[in-house]
Amino acid sequence: MAISHCARNRSGSGSGGTGGEEDFGAGLSELALAILDAVLDLSVEMAAVVAVTNHFSSSSLLLVLLALFLRVPLPPFKGTTKKAAGQAWNEAEEAGVLDTAQFRAAQILGQLLLAACGVQDRAKYIAGIEEGEGSAAAGAGAAAGDGVNGFDTISMDEEVFSDPHGDVRDIHNLISLLEPGAAPPVPLISVRILYLLLPLRILSLLMSDPEGACRAIGSPSCTPLLVWNDASARRARDAIKREAEEVLRRHEGEVSEGKQQLGLPMWDLEAGEETSSSSGGRGGEEAAAFRPFFLQSVRESIELAKDEGEGGAGGAAEAAETLFSEQEKAGYVPEMYIGGCYVDQLLRQPRFDLGKRVELQLVREIRKAIVTAAPSEGKRYEEFTIADRRRLLLALLALFQSRPHLLTITNTDIFLPVTDFFTSGSGEERRALLQAGVLLFLRMVTSNDVADFVSSEELISLLSKLLLLEVPAGRQGQAATDPRVCALMLMQKLFRLSSKAVELGLQHQVVDRLASLVLDTENSITVRARAAAVLGAMAGERRLGPEITKQAERILPESYKNHIAWRVGFLKQGGEEIGQKNVPSLSEEIEVKTMRHLLKYPLPCAWWTTDIPEDGGMGGGGGGWGGGDGEDGGGGPTAVVEAALLFPAARLDAWNDEVDGGLRHGLAAAALTNTRNVRILRKKLGGAKGVVVEVEIQFHPPPGAAARAKKGESGAGGAARSSVDDPAKAARTFKQRLETQLAAMLALEVFGSMGTPAVRSSTVRSWGR
């Protein structure tokens, strides 16, 4: 215990004054350094067993070593004034004594960690790291799945490494024994204290490069591996100061009572419970949740680094000035720290080079967190907020986006928990997590086997329901703001790779809903083209493809025959054929702008405000267009075409829902409107034979029409726009086509046997008249 006295004050019984100052300075110089050297020699020779490290770091030795490493001036004993102690500290710093003492402390702390990891020789450990980095990629599956981190090259004496917790050889695996619920056979006292005060990157440097650890602790950093600034350093130093003051208070009280003459009280840590000194309980609430002192609150809205590489120092340095908050406040959340990585910083710099070993460990830890955070089955669900679950999904997505080699690891254990993320919990939580979860599946589905595994009835049903979502015109066609695009991208991949997915799609009305998207001209061309591509993927399945093709042709009108799926270039919009060159890319890759949007907005679709009903119908809230963001076309006058259609060879008893659907789809496609605007009012016998169907087709002004009318657009362009925006004119045009081209509007597969259809009567009226 002599080092405790020498490093703090050699004048334990002095009366102050000049003698005290000289004693203090001397205590920080030759004698203290000599004692540190002796302790270092002892630490190098200690057995690589956790129990030994705990004993070695008992009393206040660990406290003094941490104080020297963090350069914290400890409070003086009685007899030395704070002024004299501060002056002596400054003199030692100027003389370079503190630099040497800090380096020695770093070496000793590193030896403690090495021994706790079962490593006797630092040189062999460093060699193992270098070889482990090279072998990590080759053994990726084992590294992430079985906890082997490529350290097989480290040879250890079994007699030396006899600790009960097995072959833990790396600091990352050692830290996993500190998680809630973990019960290591021997309490990891020294490791737990170090991990509470210092980031894992610093601990790794203490083990492999003590000099580098000293540099890192004295320099600001803002990377996914290390966030260290004045605030985080102050937190750690304040913790040391508080502990030292408590230890000193207890020591002096015991000395005055004659109970203890030598040594200092232990810095005790109850394994798995709370951090406390011998006073008990102090600071326990913060440590009980095991939230390290060095963590802070960060902005919930995440911006990618501005530079091209998305991971350069420029973007990080710029963000560091405004990123952190001392306290949680609106728009900020507690920083997420998993597997030695700052998740928020990783999301801001997704291409930052973590190193293969850390990448594998991080994927493993995120997967573990996802499983425990699942709403239905997760053991620690209550500990995770919506923001936490969102960042877990986005972090894994960012890793897979920028590091495709990580997809070679088996990740099937998280499919059910991720599905649980966006199918359970509150409605707001589901809407916040759905797009990130679906896009994560899109990246993870890399083979037929994985596609089969993912294709659960619950997932396919949800994707099918998403196709019914009514999206504002200004938000359509982008995966960031249109959940239907996310669903279509995943469907296209699943249906291409899995017959099971196609079969489930048939059971959940996917063909009908895809055809509706293709025909609905109020959808963006991207949505319609993607829907057609998904139909093509389904139609290409060997066993069920012919049936799917027939079902689609029953719904699509004759003018669309052979134009679905495999002929997406012939989709119609505004009555004109769209050439193949104008059809948007149907790539399954996730765009950078999509990631930017998902990171920036906790609720990616602000217009989407209602939950997903059990019956599959979905809306945006406040009307069919949802959200009330001012982009819908619900304002202005609405015209209606009412018509009575005769099918001379049809039988009323044979008219079913499939025929109703085909009629509605055909009329909607011809009217360039959505099927929701086509209503079948009634069906009746057509006299001696046949069936008469009375229908109503509504015409609304397109999005933006009211604003354009208000601005009073003029000129040739304005006149053309005015004719498009006029629902009454559109209704009259459709009425003329209906009377002359009715047969061409309908699918021959369904209506061919019903005779040549005719229009008995038709009229155009304004809405409400």
Side-chain angles (χ1 to χ4, degrees):
M1 294 313 304
I3 186 174
S4 303
H5 293 271
C6 291
R8 295 168 55 170
N9 188 345
R10 291 278 330 290
S11 58
S13 57
S15 57
T18 304
E21 295 176 16
E22 293 175 353
D23 288 341
F24 186 83
L28 278 176
S29 54
E30 291 84 359
L31 183 57
L33 293 178
I35 295 175
L36 282 172
D37 287 336
V39 174
L40 177 59
D41 291 340
L42 289 173
S43 68
V44 171
E45 298 299 326
M46 77 168 67
V49 179
V50 170
V52 174
T53 66
N54 290 342
H55 180 72
F56 186 91
S57 58
S58 64
S59 71
S60 62
L61 176 58
L62 183 60
L63 176 63
V64 175
L65 292 173
L66 283 167
L68 290 173
F69 177 60
L70 289 168
R71 303 180 83 109
V72 179
L74 295 178
F77 286 132
K78 288 182 178 179
T80 301
T81 64
K82 290 185 178 180
K83 180 179 180 181
Q87 182 179 349
W89 181 272
N90 292 335
E91 291 174 356
E93 187 170 22
E94 292 174 2
V97 175
L98 288 185
D99 292 336
T100 305
Q102 182 188 37
F103 179 60
R104 292 288 186 273
Q107 289 178 300
I108 298 169
L109 291 172
Q111 285 297 147
L112 288 175
L113 291 169
L114 286 167
C117 288
V119 180
Q120 188 75 32
D121 190 323
R122 188 193 300 269
K124 289 184 178 180
Y125 174 79
I126 295 173
I129 290 178
E130 294 172 352
E131 294 188 28
E133 283 290 342
S135 63
D146 302 325
V148 179
N149 274 15
F151 285 88
D152 294 334
T153 56
I154 302 177
S155 60
M156 293 178 292
D157 187 345
E158 292 183 2
E159 294 182 359
V160 173
F161 185 60
S162 57
D163 194 79
H165 65 60
D167 60 345
V168 175
R169 305 176 186 181
D170 175 46
I171 187 65
H172 290 80
N173 283 348
L174 191 67
I175 295 304
S176 67
L177 297 177
L178 303 180
E179 295 179 350
V186 178
L188 306 173
I189 296 177
S190 57
V191 178
R192 190 174 175 90
I193 292 173
L194 287 169
Y195 187 57
L196 187 66
L197 292 169
L198 299 170
L200 197 57
R201 177 62 175 168
I202 300 293
L203 301 189
S204 296
L205 287 173
L206 285 171
M207 297 171 68
S208 60
D209 182 11
E211 187 176 358
C214 294
R215 288 195 302 270
I217 211 72
S219 305
S221 175
C222 188
T223 72
L225 289 180
L226 179 61
V227 173
W228 190 257
N229 52 32
D230 291 341
S232 49
R234 184 174 62 251
R235 281 189 178 88
R237 288 168 180 153
D238 287 347
I240 295 292
K241 289 179 182 178
R242 289 194 303 269
E243 190 69 31
E245 289 169 355
E246 178 65 18
V247 168
L248 182 61
R249 183 189 67 79
R250 287 180 52 79
H251 169 70
E252 293 178 344
E254 292 176 354
V255 169
S256 64
E257 296 175 6
K259 296 181 179 179
Q260 180 176 333
Q261 298 296 328
L262 295 174
L264 296 174
M266 288 182 63
W267 183 348
D268 188 26
L269 184 67
E270 295 297 328
E273 295 180 359
E274 62 183 31
T275 302
S276 65
S277 68
S278 301
S279 61
R282 177 179 48 78
E285 182 178 352
E286 182 173 6
F290 205 63
R291 177 166 166 76
F293 289 124
F294 54 83
L295 295 185
Q296 303 170 77
S297 294
V298 293
R299 285 201 306 267
E300 186 178 18
S301 177
I302 297 173
E303 298 279 1
L304 285 174
K306 302 299 182 184
D307 61 311
E308 289 291 332
E310 297 181 355
E318 180 181 342
E321 298 179 1
T322 57
L323 178 64
F324 304 105
S325 171
E326 290 299 303
Q327 299 177 348
E328 292 184 38
K329 58 184 181 182
Y332 281 75
V333 293
E335 194 168 41
M336 179 172 281
Y337 185 67
I338 294 179
C341 183
Y342 296 81
V343 172
D344 302 276
Q345 280 306 114
L346 175 65
L347 292 173
R348 291 176 173 88
Q349 306 173 62
R351 298 188 185 278
F352 184 88
D353 184 11
L354 299 172
K356 294 183 177 64
R357 182 168 55 93
V358 175
E359 288 176 358
L360 295 171
Q361 181 69 23
L362 181 57
V363 169
R364 178 188 177 190
E365 294 302 319
I366 292 178
R367 284 165 47 197
K368 190 189 304 181
I370 286 175
V371 171
T372 59
S376 298
E377 302 293 337
K379 296 180 180 179
R380 296 167 54 196
Y381 168 72
E382 298 296 335
E383 298 177 23
F384 291 83
T385 64
I386 296 178
D388 293 334
R389 280 183 278 275
R390 169 178 169 261
R391 287 181 290 175
L392 288 174
L393 295 179
L394 290 175
L396 204 53
L397 178 58
L399 284 169
F400 291 155
Q401 277 283 93
S402 57
R403 300 163 177 83
H405 61 273
L406 294 175
L407 291 169
T408 60
I409 302 170
T410 301
N411 295 292
T412 53
D413 58 328
I414 65 169
F415 280 120
L416 293 180
V418 171
T419 303
D420 197 25
F421 273 25
F422 53 78
T423 56
S424 302
S426 67
E428 179 181 346
E429 180 172 350
R430 290 196 289 268
R431 294 191 295 274
L433 303 180
L434 188 143
Q435 286 156 279
V438 171
L439 292 177
L440 178 59
F441 283 175
L442 178 68
R443 291 297 294 142
M444 293 171 64
V445 174
T446 56
S447 67
N448 302 72
D449 291 339
V450 177
D452 284 338
F453 184 89
V454 175
S455 300
S456 65
E457 185 167 358
E458 185 178 26
L459 177 63
I460 299 300
S461 174
L462 175 65
L463 296 178
S464 178
K465 291 176 183 178
L466 287 174
L467 301 183
L468 299 176
L469 191 61
E470 297 175 358
V471 183
R475 297 289 185 262
Q476 291 185 19
Q478 299 294 331
T481 56
D482 189 344
R484 298 176 304 174
V485 173
C486 299
L488 290 168
M489 292 171 71
L490 180 56
M491 279 182 170
Q492 184 175 351
K493 179 174 276 192
L494 291 178
F495 294 156
R496 178 165 51 83
L497 296 175
S498 171
S499 297
K500 174 186 175 184
V502 174
E503 186 173 358
L504 288 171
L506 276 175
Q507 297 174 13
H508 290 278
Q509 308 173 53
V510 170
V511 174
D512 180 80
R513 292 169 183 178
L514 288 172
S516 296
L517 291 179
V518 173
L519 294 173
D520 188 355
T521 57
E522 292 183 7
N523 287 322
S524 73
I525 183 60
T526 301
V527 173
R528 300 176 68 205
R530 283 200 177 277
V534 177
L535 269 177
M538 296 185 75
E541 205 277 327
R542 290 184 179 181
R543 182 170 59 88
L544 299 173
E547 179 183 346
I548 291 168
T549 301
K550 290 181 180 179
Q551 186 173 336
E553 290 180 345
R554 291 191 190 100
I555 300 172
L556 296 170
E558 183 66 18
S559 59
Y560 272 77
K561 189 173 182 179
N562 295 326
H563 294 167
I564 65 168
W566 49 91
R567 299 287 297 280
V568 294
F570 291 90
L571 289 175
K572 292 187 175 182
Q573 187 175 43
E576 297 179 359
E577 289 188 352
I578 298 175
Q580 181 69 39
K581 64 180 180 179
N582 294 325
V583 175
S585 170
L586 302 182
S587 169
E588 296 173 357
E589 294 298 318
I590 302 169
E591 298 179 341
V592 173
K593 62 182 180 181
T594 299
M595 286 296 297
R596 289 185 184 278
H597 186 89
L598 296 179
L599 291 170
K600 187 173 182 179
Y601 299 101
L603 288 171
C605 300
W607 55 267
W608 189 11
T609 57
T610 59
D611 204 355
I612 303 176
E614 291 300 320
D615 61 3
M618 301 176 69
W625 288 101
D629 62 358
E631 297 186 27
D632 61 78
T638 299
V640 176
V641 172
E642 292 181 346
L645 311 179
L646 172 64
F647 295 89
R651 293 187 298 115
L652 190 60
D653 59 349
W655 195 286
N656 54 31
D657 291 341
E658 181 181 343
V659 179
D660 272 352
L663 179 60
R664 292 177 66 243
H665 280 299
L667 295 178
L672 303 178
T673 188
N674 193 288
T675 52
R676 68 176 179 273
N677 293 325
V678 179
R679 297 175 57 201
I680 296 178
L681 303 178
R682 62 185 63 86
K683 297 182 286 287
K684 59 184 180 180
L685 291 174
K689 61 178 181 177
V691 175
V692 173
V693 183
E694 296 180 6
V695 296
E696 174 186 274
I697 302 95
Q698 301 174 6
F699 292 82
H700 299 264
R708 288 190 292 271
K710 190 173 183 180
K711 290 181 180 179
E713 292 184 357
S714 59
R721 172 66 69 180
S722 177
S723 65
V724 174
D725 290 346
D726 184 359
K729 185 171 183 178
R732 290 193 296 271
T733 301
F734 173 73
K735 176 178 177 293
Q736 294 174 1
R737 291 186 59 204
L738 182 69
E739 293 172 347
T740 58
Q741 304 174 25
L742 175 59
M745 296 180 183
L746 305 177
L748 185 63
E749 183 77 18
V750 176
F751 296 94
S753 61
M754 297 184 183
T756 302
V759 179
R760 272 198 170 184
S761 63
S762 63
T763 183
V764 177
R765 65 176 176 83
S766 297
W767 181 256
R769 294 184 180 178

